[in-house]
Amino acid sequence: MAIPNTRDTFKEWCLRSLGKPVIEINVDPDQVEDRIDEALQYFAQYHYDGVERVYLKYQITQADITRSRSDNSLAQVTDIDSSTTAVWKEQKNYIPVPSSVMSIVKVFPMTDKASLNMFDIRYQLRLNDLYDFSSTSVMHYEMTMQHLDFLDHILIGETAIRHNQHQNRLYLDADFQSDFVDGDYIIIECYRNLDPSSYPDVYNDIFLKKYATQLIKKQWGANLSKFQGIQMLGGVALNGEQIYTQAQEEIDELEEQIQLSYELPPMHMIG
């Protein structure tokens, strides 16, 4: 059995599953390409093997700081009695992100924890209480560090972020004038969809092969349904509606299966 490892071999695998070349599959090549794109998109959206968790870094430039302190004027609005008008503006405090990034989990806080001076309480704790890991309890040290982190979160807070995968922008609700300088780095934790051209083993995923095959079968049934009832030579009648219905039932079963077995659990929001 030929293992699909490119887009072309994947397409031929799906068509052979439907009966090619024994029977003719009445689907245009462009329609096959569309159904494969649809299957890859669904695979990346709902299958845990369709994405990867990565950490990406970006270096802030002076152009980013200048742009983020400017505004984008929206349309002028008027109240209901046309007596008052207002012009709303939106700050351009965003950084472009790759289109392959589907969701951003967090931006690691920009703090001074990596460079401690001798007057910092964390430095003193490590110098006097934990210098040999035996002079005091590690549990006490851990509780103290959690308390300091809690105070840091309450008094300083973390930078709020906003992201939508269709905008390809990461909004940082921060003061770019004081929080960033030219050359600073930010690190994000995000989920990125797998590019089959870089990771060809994606084409051999058992769910993706079944799902793409049924999508092509559904398209085949939709193409034949317009000729429903027309008899061909030898008395053979085309039954596109039955092919379409069978494919839709298989698609519903596969989508239910991916939700029960392959989808990542939803993130719980607390607060």
Side-chain angles (χ1 to χ4, degrees), residues 44 56 66 87 89 113 120 140 155 157 194 225 232 236 249:
L56 304 178
T66 303
V87 177
K89 295 184 178 182
K113 293 181 179 179
D120 191 283
H140 169 73
L155 299 177
L194 290 179
S225 61
M232 307 296 291
V236 178
E249 291 176 354

Side-chain angles (χ1 to χ4, degrees), residues 152-263:
D152 184 65
H153 179 75
I154 294 297
L155 299 177
I156 300 177
E158 297 181 358
T159 302
I161 64 172
R162 291 172 287 131
H163 172 258
N164 187 296
Q165 69 176 94
H166 300 298
Q167 288 181 315
N168 298 330
R169 294 176 177 178
L170 168 62
Y171 283 88
L172 296 172
D173 297 327
D175 186 359
F176 275 76
Q177 185 67 23
S178 59
D179 294 343
F180 300 100
V181 296
D182 186 13
D184 279 352
Y185 280 93
I186 63 171
I187 300 177
I188 65 173
E189 177 185 354
C190 62
Y191 284 93
R192 179 177 63 186
N193 62 345
L194 290 179
D195 185 6
S197 60
S198 300
Y199 305 96
D201 192 60
V202 171
Y203 288 119
N204 195 36
D205 185 86
I206 186 171
F207 176 85
L208 180 62
K209 291 189 293 186
K210 290 181 179 180
Y211 192 72
T213 300
Q214 295 306 318
L215 288 178
I216 297 174
K217 182 178 179 180
K218 181 181 176 181
Q219 182 68 64
W220 181 21
N223 293 344
L224 293 180
S225 61
K226 62 184 64 178
F227 303 106
Q228 187 71 24
I230 299 179
Q231 289 190 350
M232 307 296 291
L233 295 176
V236 178
L238 300 176
N239 196 349
E241 183 177 353
Q242 183 178 1
I243 297 177
Y244 183 92
T245 303
Q246 291 176 352
Q248 186 61 55
E249 291 176 354
E250 290 289 338
I251 290 173
D252 293 339
E253 292 181 3
L254 289 172
E255 291 180 351
E256 182 180 2
Q257 179 185 3
I258 197 174
Q259 294 176 4
L260 296 177
S261 304
Y262 298 105
E263 188 177 10

